[in-house]
Amino acid sequence: MGIEVRNLTHIYAEGLPDESVALENVSFTIEDNEFIGIIGHTGSGKSTLLQHLDGLIKPNKSGSIVIGGTDITESKADMLSVRRKIGLVFQYPEYQLFEESVAADVAFGPKNLGLPEEEVVERVREALNLVGMDPDVYGSVSPFELSGGQKRRIAIAGVVAMRPEVLILDEPIAGLDPKAHKDILGMIKRIHEEQHNITILVSHNMSDVAKLCTKVLVMDHGRLAMEGTPRQVFGRAEELEAMGLSTPPITKFIKGLKEAGLAIDGNPLLIDDGAEEILKVFGKR
């Protein structure tokens, strides 16, 4: 499918006293099957960028967004067709559940695509299995009887059932306990691997971004400040700190050990890799 963003600029309240530049000359390319992480402090432009990618708003100053060969910023763009290819999971999506059963809630999107009943049923079962919720067990259950983590799984399943070619997740683990956090993270990875879609993850959790993403975009005051692999981006710790961001905790911990004189090689991004590096040092003594 592919996404190409060029010179995207959006200004809120232009010409008024509270004018705000939300996006300034943002350009990047996303290839098929990439897993993209977007990070940035509050007010950096992340949410505005997501809304542009989904076509909810259009650039009011300059720029273009081409998704699967369609420039969605053009006035004549077939946005209905484009939105069928893009799934957007908002923060706290469980608040949007409304049907009387889990199956009915997950089926809402596919039904609105005008699909035959047999295919709707197939997609509901597929989506529920992908998020780890057995359709035979949970299909007839009211979503309001489930735990917070389970509700979020159901809400995500409703988007996954649309089989989007681009899946956008805005802080999907916000407010979850550690177990639900881990479960949702594993679920997102599984969906990406099985559906071979472009996945875009917005998160403040640097460990999650380092673990899942193949490329990271760093937003700062409406600009694209950095772009690269997790190792390339998190290797620029001082620059990230200047933007109010940080590296994964294990990377910061290892840096402290190095400064204390421990001869550790590399800059691990994941806890297991960090533990391995520390064991290597002590194994030499």
Side-chain angles (χ1 to χ4, degrees), residues 151-172:
K151 287 179 181 177
R152 191 162 301 181
R153 285 171 179 260
I154 299 306
I156 294 174
V159 176
V160 170
M162 309 274 285
R163 292 181 185 169
E165 295 179 46
V166 180
L167 178 61
I168 303 173
L169 302 132
D170 187 4
E171 296 285 357

Side-chain angles (χ1 to χ4, degrees), residues 112-125:
N112 277 274
L113 292 179
L115 300 174
E117 182 63 27
E118 297 78 10
E119 185 169 352
V120 171
V121 172
E122 176 190 338
R123 289 197 182 199
V124 169
R125 294 189 65 85

Side-chain angles (χ1 to χ4, degrees), residues 191-260:
I191 291 169
H192 176 71
E193 291 173 345
E194 295 196 19
Q195 294 202 332
H196 306 290
N197 53 21
I198 290 172
T199 301
I200 300 174
L201 171 70
V202 174
S203 179
H204 285 94
N205 189 305
M206 302 306 163
S207 293
D208 293 348
V209 171
K211 185 175 183 179
L212 292 177
C213 301
T214 55
K215 183 162 69 178
V216 182
L217 307 179
V218 183
M219 297 297 296
D220 181 49
H221 292 96
R223 299 175 298 105
L224 180 60
M226 292 186 205
E227 178 181 4
T229 65
R231 190 162 299 280
Q232 289 170 334
V233 168
F234 292 126
R236 299 164 66 178
E238 291 77 12
E239 294 173 69
L240 289 172
E241 288 171 5
M243 288 182 250
L245 301 173
S246 65
T247 56
I250 187 62
T251 307
K252 187 180 295 186
F253 180 67
I254 293 294
K255 180 183 177 183
L257 292 179
K258 287 181 178 180
E259 292 172 350

Side-chain angles (χ1 to χ4, degrees), residues 8-14 23 52 57-63:
L8 192 63
T9 300
H10 193 95
I11 301 175
Y12 289 121
E14 185 177 9
L23 296 173
H52 277 80
I57 57 177
K58 293 182 182 289
N60 62 358
K61 203 64 181 173
S62 67

Side-chain angles (χ1 to χ4, degrees), residues 24-282:
E24 183 178 0
N25 202 35
V26 174
S27 298
F28 59 85
T29 300
I30 299 175
E31 304 295 337
D32 284 346
N33 201 35
E34 277 198 292
F35 200 128
I36 305 297
I38 300 180
I39 62 175
H41 56 78
T42 301
S44 62
K46 303 188 303 297
S47 294
T48 300
L49 178 58
L50 292 190
Q51 291 177 67
H52 277 80
L53 292 176
D54 194 45
L56 294 175
I57 57 177
K58 293 182 182 289
N60 62 358
K61 203 64 181 173
S62 67
S64 64
I65 302 173
V66 178
I67 299 180
T70 300
D71 186 344
I72 68 171
T73 60
E74 291 185 347
S75 58
K76 296 181 180 179
D78 182 0
M79 292 308 301
L80 179 60
S81 175
V82 170
R83 288 197 179 107
R84 286 180 173 179
K85 299 177 182 179
I86 301 173
L88 175 57
V89 179
F90 290 101
Q91 200 172 138
Y92 301 107
E94 59 270 24
Y95 294 156
Q96 300 167 39
L97 299 174
F98 64 95
E99 289 283 5
E100 62 182 14
S101 72
V102 164
D105 217 298
V106 177
F108 181 79
K111 280 184 176 180
N112 277 274
L113 292 179
L115 300 174
E117 182 63 27
E118 297 78 10
E119 185 169 352
V120 171
V121 172
E122 176 190 338
R123 289 197 182 199
V124 169
R125 294 189 65 85
E126 175 189 78
L128 286 174
N129 281 319
L130 272 174
V131 302
M133 302 287 285
D134 187 336
D136 293 325
V137 175
Y138 294 100
S140 60
V141 174
S142 167
F144 306 106
E145 296 176 6
L146 303 176
S147 69
Q150 289 174 324
K151 287 179 181 177
R152 191 162 301 181
R153 285 171 179 260
I154 299 306
I156 294 174
V159 176
V160 170
M162 309 274 285
R163 292 181 185 169
E165 295 179 46
V166 180
L167 178 61
I168 303 173
L169 302 132
D170 187 4
E171 296 285 357
I173 47 80
L176 296 177
D177 62 58
K179 182 182 185 307
H181 179 148
K182 181 180 179 180
D183 291 345
I184 293 290
L185 217 61
M187 178 200 76
I188 291 170
K189 181 180 180 182
R190 184 167 63 251
I191 291 169
H192 176 71
E193 291 173 345
E194 295 196 19
Q195 294 202 332
H196 306 290
N197 53 21
I198 290 172
T199 301
I200 300 174
L201 171 70
V202 174
S203 179
H204 285 94
N205 189 305
M206 302 306 163
S207 293
D208 293 348
V209 171
K211 185 175 183 179
L212 292 177
C213 301
T214 55
K215 183 162 69 178
V216 182
L217 307 179
V218 183
M219 297 297 296
D220 181 49
H221 292 96
R223 299 175 298 105
L224 180 60
M226 292 186 205
E227 178 181 4
T229 65
R231 190 162 299 280
Q232 289 170 334
V233 168
F234 292 126
R236 299 164 66 178
E238 291 77 12
E239 294 173 69
L240 289 172
E241 288 171 5
M243 288 182 250
L245 301 173
S246 65
T247 56
I250 187 62
T251 307
K252 187 180 295 186
F253 180 67
I254 293 294
K255 180 183 177 183
L257 292 179
K258 287 181 178 180
E259 292 172 350
L262 206 61
I264 298 178
D265 295 326
N267 295 293
L269 302 178
L270 306 179
I271 291 176
D272 288 347
D273 295 336
E276 188 173 319
E277 292 297 331
I278 293 172
L279 287 172
K280 284 180 184 177
V281 172
F282 285 103

